[in-house]
């Protein structure tokens, strides 16, 4: 576990503001992509001539991978240093967006969108650890987290509007090109020693992590399918999510490196927060 930082060793307030803005901008960027492509489906169909299933996966594949990898990304950030994982995720997101803009066919775009989902998952839990590093005092940290969290509503609301404007001006490829300067800005703002997080000693259980990814991914896919896909698709994904969750629970009981730390699960309000998390992830 990362050491606790006292307010006396916190970064100067003048350096924390830009860093917090960069971290929040990164969160805005990855959440924007959960909704921004939805308005581009007609343009995608005209340009890449894909199937209906391909168009659906181009939009939702990002969200499925994003939701599936969040738990594992948090464990990796704890193990290797949150700022390293965050910067790697943002850099991969920018590079992946550039490749998405150059995608020659629909299924290449679907695969690249999955890569973007993995990069996005690396950014979110790492950004929380970086905020804790910047703001060790509880009251200041609460205000910083509120600022960071407020970007989620702005990003989800801005997605269709921004997507429609970009598609109207320059076509669907512009949706991805705009991420490149955004990622560069995030890397520049969220740099420097104030956000450096030490490496942890947390061990990883690859099997448990894989089962957690499968459970979250299948649950996210089921929730997406319920929004307009075939009922059989939602039922199969939900059944798979239940099976993966059961296997995960069995694995966790005997694991020396649990994905869900028991002390965290017993914290006040945590069960309710976890129960509410999957629907919000699939928004």
């Amino acid at each position: 576990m990362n050491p606790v930082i006292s307010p006396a060793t916190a970064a100067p307030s003048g350096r924390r503001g830009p860093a917090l803005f960069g971290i929040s901008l990164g969160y805005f960027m990855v959440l924007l992509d959960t909704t921004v492509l939805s308005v581009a489906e007609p343009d995608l169909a005209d340009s890449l001539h894909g199937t209906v299933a391909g168009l659906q996966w181009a939009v939702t594949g990002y969200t499925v991978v994003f939701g599936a990898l969040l738990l594992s990304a948090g464990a990796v950030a704890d193990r290797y240093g949150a700022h390293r994982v965050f910067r790697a995720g943002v850099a991969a997101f920018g590079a992946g967006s550039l490749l998405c803009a150059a995608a020659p066919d629909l299924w290449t775009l679907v695969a690249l969108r999955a890569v973007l989902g993995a990069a996005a998952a690396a950014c979110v839990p790492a950004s929380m650890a970086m905020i804790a590093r910047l703001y060790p005092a509880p009251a200041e940290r609460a205000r910083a987290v509120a600022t960071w969290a407020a970007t989620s509503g702005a990003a989800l609301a801005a997605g269709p509007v921004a997507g429609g404007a970009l598609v109207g001006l320059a076509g669907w490829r512009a949706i991805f090109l705009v991420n490149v300067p955004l990622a560069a800005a995030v890397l520049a703002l969220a740099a420097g020693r104030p956000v450096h997080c030490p490496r942890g000693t947390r061990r990883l259980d690859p099997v448990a992590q894989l089962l957690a990814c499968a459970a979250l991914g299948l649950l996210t896919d089921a929730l997406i399918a319920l929004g307009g896909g075939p009922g059989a698709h939602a039922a199969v994904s939900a059944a798979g999510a239940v099976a993966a969750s059961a296997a995960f629970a069995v694995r966790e009981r005997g694991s020396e490196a649990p994905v869900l730390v028991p002390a965290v699960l017993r914290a006040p309000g945590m069960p309710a927060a976890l129960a509410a998390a999957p629907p919000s992830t699939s928004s």
Side-chain angles (χ1 to χ4, degrees):
M1 181 172 292
N2 294 340
V4 176
I5 305 170
S6 68
T9 61
S13 59
R15 299 174 65 184
R16 289 186 293 179
L20 177 61
F21 178 69
I23 294 168
S24 299
L25 183 62
Y27 189 39
F28 178 90
M29 179 180 68
V30 301
L31 287 184
L32 186 69
D33 261 45
T34 62
T35 57
V36 71
L37 195 61
S38 59
V39 297
E41 287 190 58
D43 193 52
L44 273 175
D46 291 340
S47 175
L48 300 182
H49 310 292
T51 64
V52 173
L55 289 171
Q56 289 178 335
W57 273 108
V59 174
T60 61
Y62 173 86
T63 310
V64 171
V65 176
F66 182 24
L69 293 180
L70 279 175
L71 272 178
S72 293
V76 171
D78 286 346
R79 180 67 179 84
Y80 296 105
H83 70 286
R84 296 181 183 90
V85 174
F86 179 82
R87 291 179 64 81
V90 172
F93 197 91
S97 295
L98 192 59
L99 292 174
C100 282
D105 57 71
L106 190 59
W107 288 106
T108 299
L109 179 62
V110 170
L112 290 169
R113 285 276 287 171
V115 172
L116 287 190
C123 297
V124 176
S127 64
M128 284 292 292
M130 292 165 68
I131 290 173
R133 187 77 176 174
L134 280 172
Y135 296 92
E140 289 185 330
R141 187 188 310 136
R143 289 193 292 270
V145 170
T147 299
W148 174 83
T151 64
S152 63
L156 294 175
V161 177
L166 288 168
V167 171
L169 287 172
W172 66 267
R173 297 181 193 273
I175 288 175
F176 298 105
L177 289 175
V178 76
N179 287 334
V180 178
L182 280 177
V186 171
L187 290 173
L189 289 165
R193 184 159 294 278
V195 297
H196 282 199
C197 300
R199 293 175 182 266
T201 58
R202 180 176 180 178
R203 290 185 295 171
L204 302 178
D205 182 342
V207 174
Q209 296 288 343
L210 182 61
L211 289 170
C213 289
L216 287 172
L218 288 166
L219 177 59
T220 305
D221 185 50
L223 292 170
I224 291 170
L226 281 174
H233 179 171
V236 170
S237 293
V242 171
S245 297
F248 173 73
V250 172
R251 178 75 183 188
E252 283 283 273
R253 289 195 188 98
S255 177
E256 295 181 358
V259 176
L260 297 175
V261 181
V264 174
L265 293 177
R266 290 193 292 267
M270 183 57 68
L274 289 174
S280 63
T281 301
S282 63
S283 297

